[in-house]
Amino acid sequence: MGSYKLIDHTADIGVEVEANSIIELFSETVNALINILTELPPEEIKARIGKRKGIKEKMIVKKDSWENVILDLLNRIIFLVDTKKLVPISLCIKEKKNTYRFLIEMINEPSLLKREIKAATYHNLKVNEERNIYRVTIIFDI
Amino acid sequence: MAVGTIELKKVGESLFEIPKKGKMRVPARVFIDERMASSSETQESLVQLRNVACLPGIKKWAIGMPDIHYGYGFPIGGVAATSVDNGVVSPGGVGYDINCGVRAILTNFTREEFKKHLEKVLREIYRTVPAGVGSTGIINLNKKEHKRVVEKGAEWAVEKGYGDEEDLIYCENKGCLGGADFADISNEARERGKDQLGTLGAGNHFLEISYVSQIFNPGAAEVFGIFQDQVIIMFHTGSRGFGYQICDDYLRKLREKRMFELPDPQLVSIYISDPLGKAYLSAMKGAANYAWANRQIITRMVRDSFRNVFKLSPSEMGMRVLYDVSHNIARIEEHDINGRKEKVCVHRKGATRSFPAGSPDIPPEYSGIGQPVLIPGDMGRSSYILRGLSGSMEKSFGTTCHGAGRALSRRQAVKRAKSRDIAGELEKKGILVLSVSKKTLKEEMPEAYKDVDEIVKIVEENDLAGRVAKLIPMGVMKG
């Protein structure tokens, strides 16, 4: 099972993410993003909203480097948060031959948003894979 | 001496050089004192500065200001001038918050007469200027108006009644960089920017009401219109989501070109002469112009708030714009490169232009003094108004520091603040704080920042900028 940890960064916020597959890594980076945006873990957000259904946003990303897929996914969600004031609550990923298909569930509950994120940055962005463990560190500009 | 893996050579008073090595195209120079140089906290930002020295076409040095701290790609407090003919522009060298900057508005109130009105005025501003996470403004730009904002900057806001023609004189570049083409800006950026004009934002963005506690240069202060105990408003904001999206859009476009091997993917760059380089600069100018329009609209809101409290017109209250500076921007400027005037693209990332007396690019009435440089410190100590000095043209492509620089990460600051009541502590010091978020106050508490006095001392020692006046906060508004 994947995990993430918020880390210190002088001016901004960083996360270290770890997972057992690249798909799980994508999913955990979004969980980390949810945590930064709401200052709550995703499971707490889900508990708060109960059975309410969210709005589904579809996103298809061409298979590129893992780093680029992560940044495209995160920055798309940041765009949706900023423009529609929606809060991401879950992510469903389907892998096709040449693409990843993301279904982002978002809820209209702007009071849950506690932090403005400008963007996920490319700073020293590198996915490392070792013995089927995938790791990445992401710095968010806030 | 060495700081971690970085070799540092002292080359002047509070000036160190990282010699050119490996993939560096020029040496790097950093304006820091011995204590900062030996600090392990400085190390990460020096690695970033060394990476900046690898940019194709970079001239003379990659330069770090004394408020340097760890950023992404460029360090914050980083400066790079690249050749217009055979150099690159790096969107990461400008940052996501394009034309984030500071504006100061003078008043003719003294501290004593203003004190009893402070709370009323600050609450009125707090009510009027949208701030905090997800804040949107009262203006909803349609495509035609958005295009005009992009092309005209602060002038658009003045035409719409958000200020006077005179305000434009007191902005760098008169509040507009020419050559911004709306066609170079994505629909996503337009969407993100359509309702954020006239908003302060969150994080380290703020509005502060201060008084002049000390004057260092009476002649310069007189020219700037500054006097002892005067009340001055200073605020810090930029191009909001519009600029963030433009930066992200172009980083994505540039990464696909993969033109150069650079030590950090955030430094991804493109030749200035390449059509994509030109398109980025055009879009960046559009975001810079949006930021100037944003600060102009907030100026009107501040004036209106004062008017509502005092029932006087802005001119009766002496509410003149002192100056508006940008500290996240790239501009084409002419600088002396080894005895020859050359056009270069000066990236200032968390660094302020500091043009000296005689510069044609500053308002005529300041031309004998140098441009005002606005340096916010932290909300509990002080801020400064400096003036540009000639050493900046020789040593830093006409640049100086932009603030105190962070000393603690946000997490460290929150941990150290624990359950402290930061607003209460500041109130005991006579500083009224209004903030949307209590956590932001902890992240932005005074100890989270370096001592601005030390930063200003270094820029003055190096003739980059000179002290004109010191400001002490009376009231602060945070997002």
Side-chain angles (χ1 to χ4, degrees):
Chain A
M1 200 176 141
S3 64
Y4 64 87
K5 185 172 84 175
L6 303 186
I7 56 166
D8 272 338
H9 180 281
T10 314
D12 296 301
I13 284 187
V15 286
E16 279 174 5
V17 188
E18 190 179 294
N20 295 316
S21 70
I22 192 65
I23 297 290
E24 196 178 61
L25 192 79
F26 295 156
S27 192
E28 279 305 319
T29 60
V30 172
N31 281 337
L33 175 65
I34 295 170
N35 194 328
I36 296 171
L37 286 166
T38 62
E39 295 176 351
L40 288 170
E43 50 276 24
E44 171 73 27
I45 298 286
K46 281 176 198 148
R48 283 196 187 192
I49 58 168
K51 288 184 179 165
R52 273 169 62 193
K53 290 270 179 247
I55 299 153
K56 303 261 171 65
E57 291 281 345
K58 208 186 283 178
M59 183 185 175
I60 299 172
V61 180
K62 192 177 75 184
K63 278 194 178 169
D64 192 347
S65 72
W66 291 332
E67 292 82 2
N68 289 349
V69 173
I70 289 173
L71 265 267
D72 288 352
L73 172 63
L74 294 177
N75 282 329
R76 178 67 190 171
I77 297 174
I78 290 166
F79 167 80
L80 292 169
V81 170
D82 202 24
T83 52
K84 300 187 175 177
K85 316 299 171 207
L86 297 173
V87 186
I89 51 169
S90 70
L91 176 73
C92 175
I93 308 170
K94 279 191 182 147
E95 187 175 3
K96 301 279 178 185
K97 194 178 168 199
N98 300 313
T99 57
Y100 293 108
R101 289 167 188 235
F102 298 108
L103 200 61
I104 310 150
E105 189 176 1
M106 305 185 84
I107 195 142
N108 186 9
E109 195 62 69
S111 64
L112 287 171
L113 295 169
K114 303 292 180 204
R115 165 96 60 197
E116 186 173 274
I117 301 182
K118 292 174 187 161
T121 78
Y122 293 83
H123 178 50
N124 288 341
L125 190 68
K126 179 96 191 98
V127 174
N128 291 304
E129 187 221 334
E130 209 181 314
R131 292 180 198 153
N132 289 327
I133 303 286
Y134 295 74
R135 291 188 180 90
V136 69
T137 299
I138 303 161
I139 305 298
F140 292 89
D141 186 1
I142 58 168
Chain B
M1 70 186 288
V3 185
T5 57
I6 302 280
E7 185 190 337
L8 275 181
K9 200 171 82 183
K10 188 162 184 181
V11 291
E13 192 60 40
S14 301
L15 179 58
F16 288 81
E17 184 167 299
I18 306 171
K20 184 182 154 192
K21 263 189 187 170
K23 290 183 177 167
M24 292 169 75
R25 294 169 193 260
V26 291
R29 285 192 165 188
V30 57
F31 294 91
I32 49 177
D33 62 22
E34 302 268 355
R35 190 188 54 78
M36 294 172 184
S38 57
S39 149
S40 59
E41 281 146 19
T42 311
Q43 191 194 336
E44 286 175 313
S45 50
L46 294 183
V47 170
Q48 292 185 326
L49 191 63
R50 188 175 63 184
N51 293 344
V52 172
C54 303
L55 289 176
I58 186 168
K59 295 286 182 178
K60 287 170 104 169
W61 316 283
I63 301 165
M65 290 296 138
D67 50 336
I68 189 168
H69 58 280
Y70 190 47
Y72 48 85
F74 271 52
I76 295 163
V79 182
T82 51
S83 165
V84 166
D85 300 326
N86 56 17
V88 296
V89 60
S90 175
V94 174
Y96 291 91
D97 196 355
I98 296 166
N99 190 6
C100 185
V102 184
R103 180 177 286 209
I105 305 170
L106 304 177
T107 74
N108 55 19
F109 293 107
T110 63
R111 178 195 181 194
E112 265 317 299
E113 60 197 17
F114 188 77
K115 222 160 51 179
K116 57 181 176 292
H117 304 285
L118 171 69
E119 184 166 353
K120 210 170 173 191
V121 172
L122 194 64
R123 288 202 184 279
E124 185 66 14
I125 295 173
Y126 191 72
R127 195 183 61 80
T128 313
V129 180
V133 177
S135 51
T136 51
I138 50 166
I139 299 165
N140 205 321
L141 291 171
N142 61 31
K143 197 171 170 185
K144 190 176 152 209
E145 288 302 323
H146 205 151
K147 182 172 183 282
R148 286 170 59 78
V149 172
V150 158
E151 290 168 351
K152 301 187 98 175
E155 193 187 335
W156 174 87
V158 167
E159 281 174 10
K160 293 285 171 190
Y162 293 101
D164 308 315
E165 284 288 328
E166 196 198 46
D167 294 340
L168 305 176
I169 300 170
Y170 300 105
C171 296
E172 286 182 353
N173 306 92
K174 298 194 170 77
C176 179
L177 287 173
D181 187 343
F182 198 53
D184 293 319
I185 292 166
S186 71
N187 288 333
E188 285 79 7
R190 292 176 201 171
E191 177 71 19
R192 217 166 157 181
K194 72 178 184 195
D195 59 1
Q196 294 190 1
L197 265 186
T199 64
L200 194 64
N204 64 358
H205 294 149
F206 68 85
L207 184 146
E208 187 174 296
I209 301 175
S210 311
Y211 72 93
V212 176
S213 70
Q214 201 176 349
I215 287 183
F216 303 92
N217 184 331
E222 197 185 337
V223 173
F224 287 169
I226 294 169
F227 56 87
Q228 184 70 37
D229 287 326
Q230 180 185 21
V231 170
I232 293 179
I233 303 109
M234 206 186 251
F235 60 91
H236 173 223
T237 188
S239 51
R240 312 284 290 110
F242 188 57
Y244 314 160
Q245 191 64 40
I246 286 173
C247 180
D248 183 51
D249 288 341
Y250 277 89
L251 288 173
R252 196 177 311 122
K253 286 180 183 178
L254 263 61
R255 84 185 183 202
E256 277 153 25
K257 283 220 164 195
R258 291 192 182 97
M259 289 185 78
F260 317 102
E261 275 300 313
L262 288 162
D264 180 350
Q266 185 70 27
L267 289 176
V268 65
S269 302
I270 183 101
Y271 282 116
I272 293 165
S273 54
D274 187 288
L276 189 53
K278 288 180 183 160
Y280 167 69
L281 279 171
S282 151
M284 185 218 70
K285 287 173 184 175
N289 294 344
Y290 182 100
W292 273 309
N294 188 31
R295 291 197 286 273
Q296 186 61 47
I297 293 164
I298 293 175
T299 300
R300 163 75 191 264
M301 292 168 165
V302 170
R303 285 173 171 156
D304 284 352
S305 300
F306 270 70
R307 190 206 301 259
N308 289 345
V309 173
F310 293 103
K311 314 292 177 209
L312 293 168
S313 71
S315 62
E316 284 171 315
M317 293 180 280
M319 295 187 78
R320 178 174 84 75
V321 174
L322 166 65
Y323 212 45
D324 179 302
V325 302
S326 167
H327 53 229
N328 280 1
I329 201 160
R331 281 180 286 216
I332 309 298
E333 296 170 5
E334 202 171 65
H335 285 275
D336 186 288
I337 312 286
N338 306 323
R340 259 187 49 213
K341 289 271 179 210
E342 265 188 54
K343 273 194 175 170
V344 285
C345 178
V346 184
H347 301 66
R348 296 187 179 95
K349 169 83 180 292
T352 318
R353 204 185 74 174
S354 183
F355 282 178
S359 166
D361 298 317
I362 59 180
E365 66 188 271
Y366 298 158
S367 72
I369 301 293
Q371 73 162 84
V373 178
L374 311 173
I375 306 295
D378 61 71
M379 56 185 168
R381 286 177 282 190
S382 54
S383 298
Y384 280 90
I385 294 167
L386 311 179
R387 67 184 181 110
L389 293 179
S390 60
S392 72
M393 301 310 276
E394 297 149 29
K395 299 176 186 174
S396 59
F397 297 101
T399 310
T400 188
C401 58
H402 87 307
R406 286 195 78 93
L408 299 177
S409 74
R410 292 171 200 270
R411 275 160 55 83
Q412 283 170 329
V414 171
K415 216 168 153 185
R416 195 172 290 186
K418 284 188 190 154
S419 55
R420 277 166 57 189
D421 171 15
I422 302 298
E425 288 176 23
L426 289 166
E427 206 172 326
K428 278 182 195 153
K429 289 175 73 178
I431 303 163
L432 175 66
V433 181
L434 299 179
S435 175
V436 175
S437 157
K438 277 188 181 164
K439 191 169 181 191
T440 300
L441 279 189
K442 289 179 181 171
E443 290 178 350
E444 295 289 316
M445 67 178 182
E447 303 97 291
Y449 285 86
K450 296 179 201 168
D451 184 350
V452 72
D453 289 354
E454 290 178 22
I455 305 298
V456 165
K457 182 171 169 270
I458 294 173
V459 298
E460 197 163 54
E461 272 170 6
N462 277 283
D463 205 27
L464 306 183
R467 288 177 298 177
V468 175
K470 185 174 183 169
L471 310 180
I472 302 285
M474 300 171 75
V476 182
M477 168 183 162
K478 296 286 294 180

